């Protein structure tokens, strides 16, 4: 191409773009002053005349612009109908190139005269496309073939058109920032030139044919049937000529023929969709250009799809395949955590934390397709959704209208994902053009599950990554790992085990997968939801405040929290809350039944606590406070300290123990990629049939156990619940952080030496509260935060003034100055408590504190007391707290053992008991009754009350 032609093409493109742009801008102003009926007519005419302008220019310029037009003509689900009607003409053949040009290219490429190659060559092409045209022919050996011949000089035209398209997209993004298609055009610029090498296309065709024709059995996760499509055989190829087996078929836009043959168009598009799902999720090698011109339908029953043209074929890595599959399944499940994790894995970086909107946008790509007749309503729905998201972004970032138009919430967009989304859009357009509905979530799901679940199905004996590759710290850890392999993936999904003995790490093992739909291996820094294990952490904060002189165990709660002292709660003391004897064991239980998400509203839940009435007299009965414990203790923590609960958590526990980023009550944005997802061991759950617990467990907790057990993982896997402040049930931690916490408690508050240096990444190396690049607003933030669960960085906190719903504002700061609390933890960091021996007695309710606990009760002050070796509980040296489903943390003071187990496959605690028994027996330490074969099982949570193995 000479410079004259280059300049001419460029001027035509940009002048037409400007002409159309100003036309639409003028109409936008004009329709403001007309009636609705006239407005629709004006817009229809505007679309028609501009569509004709676009078509005329694309036919004139050919090359890349024809391909673009073909793509747009398939988007009946989003483009106005006039554009579809006009641009679909590009799906038909373009004007053919002269036969002399065709002959010259063939003879030059194949180095033989045409007569030596073909016994018959049909001069009229079957089709002429943007890059090449196709002729039917018969080889000299009698085989029927099609010959694809590249247009002379098309390579230079395509490369120039890509430059023009890139410039045009950049101009559009500048003029209308909300329409920034730069990531898409960048990926197209990288991939499109590959279509110009027909040797590349030939190899792609062979590869896709092999992939789709092979049987995919259990080794790939259970997708057992081959996809039922046809792909022509490659006969010969060069750089510019491709000879393929001839397959007689019906074109997809030939509706009359499809009707005459009785082709089931619904089944046809479903089979094409299955073929692409297989290519993407199973093979990681897929055709990136599924427009109608690249398909035929065989003329013999059962009328199979024929797949053509593999020039633009994309290969993606196994990790990207898994990330795309995870993105798909997270949309199907509505799992915000998994979606954000998938984004991180595929390299999609966001500048702002808006998980609900991210889910809405991602789900758009997998939504059920609409027919062409519904396109107009579909466009309106998508526009409405887009406007809602823009408003949410504007409110989130505190931007004005102009700023929000210029703000791009995506920091980085991976090219592989762009091609993937382009394929989904083309498939959607294909179904719309054939006027059928396709439920992509149903059709593609088995293939996505196959990708994610395939590695998990192999189990620990064949998967070298099932146990995290970290050094073995001791002989007992080696035996533990053998036990985990023996238990296998049928009992374990993901697990962490960490143990300290006499202040030294002897076990630090991680194994399994992060979730049912997340086959990434569990690592030492993975975060597990641990349910009621959180109570032991919350109790630790109460004890820390007592040690700092901020409150007293025998102090009435109403003295700390005045609004609490109503409805016969005036006599409830701090030790009653810690000992589960306040009589408020069923408080707030109805909330979970009527509106589970209300638990996300911290202030509302504290307000509800103040209105509750105890069912028993304080101190008269120990009945497990399964849900209310967190808000009861959380309220006194905040009112006694004058600080947010999470600030106290950091000051009292996280910073002195140097476990930043690995212990939370309510996760902050930015840690989603390290989260383990919960699931339920349904086989174990069936053992609960007819189970009866003792009087210390509320009957309400035992009602509908199976329903509760299956429903809680769904609830606690949601981002709203994970980010909420639930100090009884919402702890997220690693086993190494939890074990370190109990090692410090067991050592009278003395902080152990640094955690094992072989544990990677090092404990405490994470930023505790990650920040998004744009979270800091230029505008001054108002003091306080929203009551409702939100997805911004402030959702983990709440009003620092602790203003009650009833208008009470009072902070307890008279028992010591604020500086002393901070300075106490900013020194050497060697101690958590000033009087550690006294704290140990308080934990277990012995010595001076024996009168504060219920006689023969299972709890001390905030911790479950474990009997061992037949000793009476009052003299036991072991305490801790377990959580529903099997996670636990405890320490044995007498024997210097601290141990934590985190699991994400919720069961009756059998795995945890096997693990704890093995460790204790190997160390010669008495097995705590919670974990012994026939010992007394505490009321920590129903699902841990399993019968003996």
């Amino acid at each position: 191409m000479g410079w004259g032609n280059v300049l001419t093409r460029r001027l035509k493109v940009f002048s037409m773009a400007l002409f159309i742009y100003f036309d639409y801008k003028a109409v936008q102003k004009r329709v403001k002053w007309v009636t609705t009926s006239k407005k629709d007519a004006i817009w229809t005419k505007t679309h028609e005349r501009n569509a004709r302008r676009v078509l005329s220019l694309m036919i004139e310029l050919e090359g890349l612009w024809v391909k673009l037009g073909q793509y747009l003509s398939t988007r009946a689900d989003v483009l106005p109908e006039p554009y579809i009607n006009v641009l679909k003409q590009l799906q038909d053949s373009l004007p053919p190139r002269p036969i002399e040009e065709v002959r010259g290219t063939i003879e030059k490429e194949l180095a033989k005269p045409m007569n030596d190659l073909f016994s018959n060559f049909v001069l009229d092409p079957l089709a002429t496309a943007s890059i090449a045209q196709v002729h039917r022919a018969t080889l000299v050996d009698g085989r029927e073939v099609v010959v694809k011949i590249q247009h002379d000089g098309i390579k230079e035209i395509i490369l120039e058109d890509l430059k023009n398209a890139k410039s045009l997209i950049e101009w559009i993004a500048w003029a209308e920032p909300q329409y920034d298609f730069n990531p898409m055009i960048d990926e197209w610029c990288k991939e499109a030139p590959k279509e110009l090498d027909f040797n590349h296309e030939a190899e792609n065709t062979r590869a896709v044919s092999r992939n789709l024709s092979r049987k995919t059995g259990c080794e790939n996760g259970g997708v057992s049937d081959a996809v039922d499509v046809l792909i022509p055989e490659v006969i010969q190829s060069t750089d510019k000529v491709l000879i393929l087996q001839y397959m007689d078929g019906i074109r997809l836009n030939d509706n009359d023929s499809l009707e005459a043959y009785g082709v089931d168009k619904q089944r046809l598009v479903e089979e094409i969709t299955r073929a692409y799902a297989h290519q993407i999720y199973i093979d990681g090698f897929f055709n990136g250009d599924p427009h109608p011109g690249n398909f035929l339908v065989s003329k013999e029953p059962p009328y199979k799809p024929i797949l053509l043209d593999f020039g633009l074929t994309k290969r993606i890595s196994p990790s990207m395949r898994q990330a795309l599959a995870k993105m798909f399944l997270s949309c199907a499940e509505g799992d915000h955590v998994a979606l954000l994790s998938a984004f991180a894995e595929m390299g999609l970086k966001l500048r702002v934390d808006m998980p609900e909107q991210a889910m809405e946008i991602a789900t758009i790509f997998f939504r059920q397709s609409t027919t062409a007749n519904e396109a107009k309503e579909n466009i309106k729905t998508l526009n409405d959704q887009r406007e809602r998201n823009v408003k949410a972004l504007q409110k989130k970032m505190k931007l004005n209208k102009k700023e929000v138009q210029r703000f791009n919430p995506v920091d980085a967009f991976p090219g592989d994902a762009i091609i993937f989304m382009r394929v989904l859009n083309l498939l959607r357009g294909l179904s719309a053009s054939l006027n059928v509905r396709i439920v992509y979530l149903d059709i593609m799901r088995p293939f996505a599950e196959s990708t994610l679940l395939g590695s998990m199905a192999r189990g620990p004996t064949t998967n070298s990554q099932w146990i995290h590759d970290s050094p073995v710290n001791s002989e007992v850890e080696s035996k533990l790992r053998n036990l985990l392999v023996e238990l296998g993936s049928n009992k374990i999904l993901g697990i962490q085990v960490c143990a300290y003995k006499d202040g030294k790490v002897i076990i630090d093992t991680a194994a399994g997968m992060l979730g049912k739909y997340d086959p990434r291996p569990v690592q030492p820094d993975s975060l597990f939801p641990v349910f009621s294990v959180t109570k032991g952490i919350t109790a630790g904060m109460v004890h820390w405040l007592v040690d700092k002189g901020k409150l007293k165990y025998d102090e009435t709660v109403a003295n700390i929290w005045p609004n609490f002292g109503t409805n016969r709660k005036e006599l409830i003391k701090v030790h009653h809350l810690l000992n589960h004897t306040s009589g408020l064991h069923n408080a707030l239980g109805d909330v979970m039944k009527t509106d589970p998400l209300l638990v996300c509203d911290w202030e509302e839940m504290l307000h509800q606590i103040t209105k509750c009435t105890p069912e028993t007299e304080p101190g008269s009965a120990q009945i497990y406070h399964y849900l209310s414990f967190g808000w009861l203790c959380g309220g006194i923590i905040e009112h006694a300290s004058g600080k947010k609960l999470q600030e106290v958590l950091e000051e009292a526990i996280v910073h002195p123990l140097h476990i930043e980023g690995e212990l939370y009550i309510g996760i902050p944005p930015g840690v989603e990629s390290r989260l383990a997802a919960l699931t339920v061991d349904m086989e174990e759950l069936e053992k609960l049939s007819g189970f009866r617990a003792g009087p210390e467990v509320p009957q309400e907790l035992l009602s509908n156990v199976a329903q509760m057990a299956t429903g809680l993982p769904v609830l606690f896997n949601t981002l709203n619940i994970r980010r909420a402040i639930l100090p009884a049930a919402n702890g997220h931690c690693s086993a190494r952080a939890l074990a370190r916490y109990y090692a410090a408690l067991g050592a009278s508050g003395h902080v152990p030496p640094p955690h094992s240096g072989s544990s990677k990444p090092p404990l405490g190396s994470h930023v505790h509260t990650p920040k998004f690049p744009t979270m800091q607003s230029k505008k001054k933030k108002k003091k306080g935060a929203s009551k409702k669960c939100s997805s911004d960085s402030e959702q983990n906190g709440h009003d620092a003034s602790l203003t009650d719903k009833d208008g009470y504002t009072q902070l307890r700061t008279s028992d010591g100055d604020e500086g002393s609390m901070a300075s106490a933890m900013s020194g050497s960091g060697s101690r958590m408590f000033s009087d550690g021996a006294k704290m140990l007695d308080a934990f277990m309710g012995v010595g001076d504190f024996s009168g504060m606990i219920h006689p023969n009760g299972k709890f001390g002050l905030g911790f479950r007391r474990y009997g061992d070796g037949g000793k009476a509980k009052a003299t036991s040296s072991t305490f801790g707290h377990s959580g529903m489903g099997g996670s636990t943390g405890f320490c044995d003071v007498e024997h210097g053992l601290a141990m934590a187990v985190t699991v994400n496959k919720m069961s009756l605690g059998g795995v945890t008991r096997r693990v704890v028994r093995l460790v204790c027996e190997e160390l010669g330490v008495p097995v705590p009754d919670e974990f012994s074969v026939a010992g007394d099982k505490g009321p920590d949570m129903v699902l841990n009350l399993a019968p003996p193995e």
Side-chain angles (χ1 to χ4, degrees), residues 107-124:
E107 292 185 345
K108 180 179 179 181
E109 289 291 307
L110 300 179
K112 288 184 180 181
M114 290 271 285
N115 292 338
D116 292 348
L117 295 167
F118 308 104
S119 62
N120 181 47
F121 189 91
V122 180
L123 299 182
D124 293 330

Side-chain angles (χ1 to χ4, degrees), residues 226-454:
V227 176
D228 199 12
V229 297
L230 301 173
I231 297 176
E233 178 189 354
V234 176
I235 307 299
Q236 187 177 359
S237 69
T238 70
D239 186 42
K240 296 181 180 180
V241 173
L242 177 62
I243 303 177
L244 300 166
Q245 169 193 5
Y246 172 73
M247 287 187 169
D248 190 18
I250 310 165
R251 300 186 65 179
L252 291 191
N253 61 358
D254 186 354
N255 191 62
D256 291 341
S257 296
L258 292 176
E259 294 287 345
Y261 277 88
V263 175
D264 184 342
K265 290 186 284 187
Q266 178 79 27
R267 179 189 170 280
L268 177 70
V269 180
E270 287 179 353
E271 199 59 54
I272 290 173
T273 303
R274 272 191 287 273
Y276 272 84
H278 193 291
Q279 291 176 66
I280 293 167
Y281 295 122
I282 305 299
D283 309 321
F285 187 68
F286 60 93
N287 182 1
D289 197 21
H291 65 77
N294 286 345
F295 299 98
L296 296 173
V297 184
S298 64
K299 293 183 178 181
E300 299 293 330
Y303 307 116
K304 298 180 182 181
I306 303 172
L307 277 55
L308 307 171
D309 194 350
F310 295 88
L312 182 59
T313 307
K314 183 72 177 177
R315 186 180 299 279
I316 53 177
S317 66
S319 60
M320 178 58 77
R321 270 194 296 139
Q322 289 194 348
L324 292 174
K326 187 173 178 180
M327 179 176 71
F328 175 89
L329 291 168
S330 66
C331 291
E333 297 287 322
D335 187 341
H336 296 89
V337 173
L339 179 66
L340 296 179
S341 176
F343 283 172
E345 291 168 41
M346 68 175 61
L348 194 160
K349 299 178 182 178
L350 302 177
R351 289 193 174 99
V352 63
D353 178 50
M354 297 179 66
E356 292 83 5
Q357 285 72 27
M359 175 63 76
E360 285 183 5
I361 293 170
T363 305
I364 286 174
F365 291 104
F366 305 113
R367 70 191 185 279
Q368 175 178 315
S369 64
T370 55
T371 64
N373 297 333
E374 300 168 343
K376 185 175 181 179
E377 186 61 31
N378 188 52
I379 293 171
K380 182 180 183 302
T381 301
L382 293 178
N383 285 336
D384 290 344
Q385 188 175 48
R386 178 183 170 277
E387 288 180 10
R388 289 196 302 270
N389 290 339
V390 169
K391 288 179 181 178
L393 177 62
Q394 185 175 355
K395 180 180 179 181
K396 170 79 176 181
M397 300 305 299
K398 300 178 175 63
L399 304 172
N400 59 38
K401 289 184 178 181
K402 185 175 181 180
E403 288 172 335
V404 77
Q405 287 181 341
R406 297 282 175 183
F407 182 80
N408 186 351
V410 178
D411 187 47
F413 207 111
D416 290 348
I418 290 172
I419 294 293
F420 169 73
M421 291 172 182
R422 178 174 183 267
V423 166
L424 290 180
N425 284 332
L426 282 166
L427 290 173
R428 191 178 313 285
L430 182 67
S431 63
S433 64
L434 290 174
N435 223 36
V436 296
R437 289 186 181 88
I438 301 299
V439 184
Y440 294 98
L441 290 178
D442 291 344
I443 296 175
M444 304 181 85
R445 184 170 193 143
F447 299 93
E449 287 183 335
S450 174
T451 292
L452 283 182
L453 304 184

Side-chain angles (χ1 to χ4, degrees), residues 579-592:
N579 193 233
H580 299 268
T581 56
S582 74
L584 295 170
H585 41 275
N586 288 322
L588 308 180
D590 290 339
V591 171
M592 292 295 289

Side-chain angles (χ1 to χ4, degrees), residues 29 60 69 92 106 109 127 134 151 188 215 278 352 380 415 482 504 519 547 591 616 651 659 771 885 895 929:
K29 294 182 178 180
E60 178 185 351
D92 298 324
I106 291 175
E109 289 291 307
V134 179
H151 299 323
W188 206 356
K215 291 288 181 180
H278 193 291
V352 63
K380 182 180 183 302
N482 290 334
K504 180 182 177 182
D547 184 67
V591 171
T616 58
E651 190 173 355
I659 53 176
K771 297 291 185 182
H895 298 91
D929 54 5

Side-chain angles (χ1 to χ4, degrees), residues 495-499 528-534 536-537 733-742 864 866 878-891 898-904 909 911-917 928 930-931 940 944:
I495 189 170
Q496 295 170 321
V497 182
C498 185
F528 281 68
V530 292
F531 285 103
S532 284
V533 173
T534 315
I537 298 166
C733 62
S734 64
R736 63 183 186 175
L738 186 60
R740 186 168 177 80
Y741 169 62
Y742 275 102
R864 161 85 161 96
Y866 300 131
T878 306
F879 64 91
H881 216 300
S882 295
M884 179 168 57
S887 294
T888 193
F890 69 91
C891 64
M899 187 171 178
V901 180
T902 57
V903 297
N904 59 351
V911 169
T912 302
R913 284 193 294 280
R914 291 282 300 275
V915 167
V916 173
R917 287 207 303 268
E930 176 98 336
F931 312 105
D940 294 322
N944 283 356

Side-chain angles (χ1 to χ4, degrees), residues 475-694:
E475 184 179 351
V476 65
E477 182 169 30
S478 179
K479 293 182 178 180
L480 168 69
R481 294 185 180 187
N482 290 334
L483 172 64
L484 296 183
V485 172
E486 176 189 332
L487 291 172
S489 57
N490 62 325
K491 303 306 296 180
I492 298 173
L493 179 59
I495 189 170
Q496 295 170 321
V497 182
C498 185
Y500 280 74
K501 183 71 169 71
D502 300 324
K504 180 182 177 182
V505 176
I506 60 169
I507 298 173
D508 192 3
T509 288
M513 310 295 177
L514 283 178
K516 179 181 178 182
Y517 291 132
D518 190 348
R520 291 177 302 148
V522 172
Q523 303 197 45
D525 64 336
S526 299
L527 298 172
F528 281 68
V530 292
F531 285 103
S532 284
V533 173
T534 315
K535 292 183 176 73
I537 298 166
T538 300
M541 288 188 275
V542 176
H543 290 292
W544 186 80
L545 289 171
V546 172
D547 184 67
K548 294 292 175 281
K550 290 294 180 177
L551 55 85
K552 299 178 176 64
Y553 296 119
D554 59 357
E555 189 173 8
T556 59
V557 176
N559 188 45
I560 307 164
W561 183 0
N563 278 16
F564 183 84
T566 61
N567 299 329
R568 304 194 347 249
K569 298 194 296 296
E570 298 86 352
L571 300 179
I572 295 176
K573 297 183 178 182
V574 172
H575 66 77
H576 291 138
L577 305 185
L578 292 172
N579 193 233
H580 299 268
T581 56
S582 74
L584 295 170
H585 41 275
N586 288 322
L588 308 180
D590 290 339
V591 171
M592 292 295 289
K593 299 176 184 177
T594 58
D595 185 6
L597 291 182
L598 190 62
V599 300
C600 295
D601 191 334
W602 173 257
E603 291 181 13
E604 175 61 24
M605 297 307 290
L606 292 182
H607 174 63
Q608 292 292 333
I609 283 286
T610 65
K611 298 193 302 181
C612 291
T613 301
E615 298 179 31
T616 58
E617 290 299 318
S620 64
Q622 186 177 86
I623 305 178
Y624 187 54
H625 290 34
Y626 60 98
L627 184 63
S628 57
F629 183 91
W631 290 293
L632 289 167
C633 291
I636 62 173
I637 288 170
E638 294 207 330
H639 284 83
S641 68
K643 297 185 177 185
K644 299 175 184 179
L645 181 137
Q646 290 170 313
E647 290 177 327
V648 178
L649 174 64
E650 292 183 30
E651 190 173 355
I653 298 173
V654 173
H655 294 328
L657 294 180
H658 196 49
I659 53 176
E660 286 82 2
E662 294 191 32
L663 192 151
Y664 298 99
I665 297 178
I667 62 166
V671 303
E672 291 82 7
S673 64
R674 291 193 286 127
L675 292 179
L678 294 164
T679 189
V680 175
D681 188 332
M682 296 306 297
E683 293 182 5
E684 286 281 291
L685 191 62
E686 292 175 1
K687 296 179 183 179
L688 281 175
S689 177
F691 175 77
R692 295 290 182 269

